[in-house]
Amino acid sequence: MTRKSDPPVEDGAPLWRRVTSTVTPLAPRRMPLEAMPPIDTAPTRRPRAASGQPPAPPPAPVVRPQSPPSDLDVRRHRRLARERDPIEARLDLHGHGRFQAEDVLTEFLTRCQTRGLRAVLVITGHGRRAGGGEGVIRASLPEWLRGHALRGVVAAYAPAHRRHGGEGAWYITLRRS
């Protein structure tokens, strides 16, 4: 920081030239090139069908089945709980019925995945049940996450740390889109 009594500093270009004149650049590293087969870049033509018949449709792409989401690994859970990895979005399902909550959750997670988010927090609340059981939404959430609609979206999930809602909230990590 400069004081008012200090004279203005002149341009640093002469000093930089002096420094760079004393430095010798490193030799560029030579990386061995692996023998790669030549790539055929010629456009391919689809075979024509017999005259008078429409061309055959292209083959359907191979769709690999997605594995169901797993439990969140311990290291990732710890990083989310300590906020080393950011929680990029939050969804609070308080006040929703079971079916409405499932629809809202599905829409929220697919939107987050298309935005490129990786970790979200879903707050279900503890719920109130007669006899001390857990709430309907909290009990249904793992089933929804393993379901077919979210199988390609959700990578893993686990209950949240106490500071993020404890047993009434879930960390959910999303697959890359």
Side-chain angles (χ1 to χ4, degrees):
M1 193 160 148
T2 62
R3 287 184 247 139
K4 289 185 180 183
S5 61
D6 291 341
V9 178
E10 61 184 65
D11 189 86
L15 179 62
W16 182 249
R17 278 194 300 273
R18 205 167 91 202
V19 169
T20 56
S21 68
T22 63
V23 177
T24 57
L26 294 174
R29 293 183 179 173
R30 302 269 183 204
M31 299 298 256
L33 296 176
E34 297 177 12
M36 295 181 61
I39 299 172
D40 183 20
T41 58
T44 58
R45 293 186 181 181
R46 289 196 325 207
R48 290 187 163 209
S51 63
Q53 294 183 6
V62 177
V63 178
R64 295 185 183 138
Q66 294 283 337
S67 61
S70 61
D71 291 336
L72 195 60
D73 66 328
V74 176
R75 174 185 257 170
R76 178 80 167 161
H77 190 276
R78 190 178 309 127
R79 290 185 62 82
L80 286 168
R82 294 180 180 173
E83 297 180 5
R84 302 282 192 275
D85 288 347
I87 296 172
E88 298 166 313
R90 287 175 166 76
L91 173 66
D92 191 348
L93 295 175
H94 281 101
H96 294 285
R98 176 188 170 137
F99 300 109
Q100 183 185 13
E102 183 177 8
D103 294 340
V104 169
L105 176 73
T106 303
E107 180 185 344
F108 170 75
L109 292 177
T110 52
R111 218 173 349 130
C112 287
Q113 185 190 31
T114 57
R115 287 177 41 205
L117 305 183
R118 299 286 293 149
V120 297
L121 180 71
V122 175
I123 302 164
T124 60
H126 291 284
R128 282 182 256 150
R129 301 279 304 199
E134 61 184 347
V136 174
I137 295 175
R138 185 187 183 298
S140 301
L141 188 82
E143 177 186 330
W144 297 340
L145 297 176
R146 286 190 306 263
H148 184 69
L150 293 175
R151 188 170 279 194
V153 177
V154 176
Y157 60 93
H161 187 269
R162 202 166 107 193
R163 85 176 64 147
H164 291 130
E167 297 294 318
W170 295 81
Y171 296 129
I172 300 174
T173 58
L174 305 175
R175 297 182 194 272
R176 294 178 196 252
S177 56

